[in-house]
Amino acid sequence: MLWLIYNPLASGQLAHPFSTQTIRRKQDLFSEKDKYGKTVNIDRPIIDEVEKIAQNHNTSMATIALAWLKTKVTTPIIGATLRCFRRSYQD
């Protein structure tokens, strides 16, 4: 069986603190309302924990999320065109 991880940062949910308003969050109404809106009570503690770990290690939340994912799968598909994601995954 092949698992395809297509969204390792959960549409940016794991890349920024929970209450941060990014351009993507403002524009991507599907992710905010339909995709993640129903699981906010489950997702928030996870996002908060990723933020704490990132602060403790003086790195980005994206780096922590991708590092965790790297222990679970061999090759996640990330936004390879975005330089900041490539750097985060390589860290």
Side-chain angles (χ1 to χ4, degrees), residues 59-73:
T59 192
S60 70
M61 290 176 65
T63 298
I64 298 301
L66 292 173
W68 177 85
L69 182 66
K70 196 174 180 180
T71 69
K72 308 299 177 211
V73 297

Side-chain angles (χ1 to χ4, degrees), residues 32-43:
E32 286 298 304
K33 181 183 170 205
D34 298 321
K35 191 173 183 182
Y36 296 108
K38 297 172 186 170
T39 59
V40 70
N41 292 331
I42 297 167
D43 296 341

